Amino acid sequence: MTAGPAPVTVRLRRAGRGPAPLRVLLLHGLAGGANVWDDYLGLADHGHELWAAELPWRAEAVPDWPRQSPAHWTAQAMARVPGGPDVVVAHSFGAAALLALLDGQGVPAADLAPAGVDAFTWHGLRGVVLVSPFYRADPGQFDWETISYYLNGFDRILADGLRVRSGGRIVGELRQEMALKVRERIGPYGWTGFFDTYLRTPYLDTRRLAGPCLVIGGADDFAAFPADSEALGAALPDATVKILGDCGHFAMIERAAEFAALTDSFLTAAATRTRPGRGGGRPTPNQHAREQF
């Protein structure tokens, strides 16, 4: 029997420079891939190690990935960075999955941070960057109209992603046909996995996410609205929110230079902070060989 694709792979995309580079992990969103970071990789000028994950909700959509929680797969990606990441940069659904992991949603009890230990300390993080995150502060903000918007307009959101990632080369009926094919690959379970994670965001205990956060949103984003970024920034104890004008859901592509400047500045500050020890002496997984392009 031929083995299927690995649900999670992580590869080193940029080697570090200097005496103590940070290990930075990049997480993509639903129906995306590690290549969504290519423009940023071409502009990043900070000397830190950059690792990019291919997650099971990527464009090729690993079958049955929703049988495990998004937090589970995010933990798998973090475990594949030798020594564990110092900073995680997560986009869209990847950001929601990271927040779920930090909050302990869908995580085995043995992997939960003990009472009184904040999530950043437990996971050994010096900071996170959340790009176009999905977040609502109040369960009452979800109604039937919201469900209809994300269900019946899902192909429109996917089509806009194809437009941005193709640099406008995929247009018209072809783009719509491709969006519908991507929607079929994601399937009802994949969509439900996304929306269930979104529905749970009002229940995040953001007080436990006490480390430095940079939240970057797009003023024209009609998938993860800029109001989501603003609300998340207000809920987090230590967050800076940047809403980029003339920008939709893919700041790392649409406003690549500004995105790189913001992210690089955040990493420079993170490098001055001591990496927190993991709670309760919990070891950092480091059993995976480095994979390089």
Side-chain angles (χ1 to χ4, degrees), residues 226-251:
D228 287 34
S229 293
E230 296 280 11
L232 179 58
L236 291 166
D238 183 7
T240 299
V241 179
K242 299 291 184 181
I243 305 298
L244 304 184
D246 192 26
C247 181
H249 194 59
F250 294 86

Side-chain angles (χ1 to χ4, degrees), residues 111-236:
D111 293 332
L112 292 175
V117 178
D118 75 85
F120 280 62
T121 298
W122 183 244
H123 291 279
L125 294 173
R126 302 193 205 187
V128 301
V129 180
L130 304 163
V131 188
S132 295
F134 290 93
Y135 178 80
R136 301 286 174 98
D138 187 336
Q141 294 175 344
F142 288 103
D143 53 21
W144 293 111
E145 184 177 348
T146 305
I147 295 174
S148 177
Y149 180 87
Y150 284 100
L151 179 61
N152 298 315
F154 194 38
D155 59 316
R156 175 173 173 249
I157 293 171
L158 295 173
D160 192 61
L162 290 168
R163 176 189 65 82
V164 174
R165 295 197 299 272
S166 71
R169 293 186 298 276
I170 302 175
V171 299
E173 292 184 4
L174 175 60
R175 185 164 69 206
Q176 181 61 19
E177 290 174 4
M178 292 179 66
L180 292 175
K181 289 180 180 178
V182 173
R183 186 182 68 176
E184 287 304 307
R185 285 200 297 271
I186 293 171
Y189 281 93
W191 181 88
T192 303
F194 149 70
F195 200 69
D196 180 66
T197 305
Y198 195 7
L199 283 170
R200 292 175 184 272
T201 56
Y203 303 110
L204 292 168
D205 186 358
T206 52
R207 296 168 301 176
R208 296 181 60 248
L209 313 183
C213 300
L214 172 62
V215 182
I216 301 176
D220 303 326
D221 192 344
F222 62 84
F225 296 103
D228 287 34
S229 293
E230 296 280 11
L232 179 58
L236 291 166

Side-chain angles (χ1 to χ4, degrees), residues 69 71-72 99-107 112 197 200-201 203-204:
S69 71
H72 166 85
L99 289 170
L101 171 65
L102 296 179
D103 191 51
Q105 295 180 7
V107 174
L112 292 175
T197 305
R200 292 175 184 272
T201 56
Y203 303 110
L204 292 168

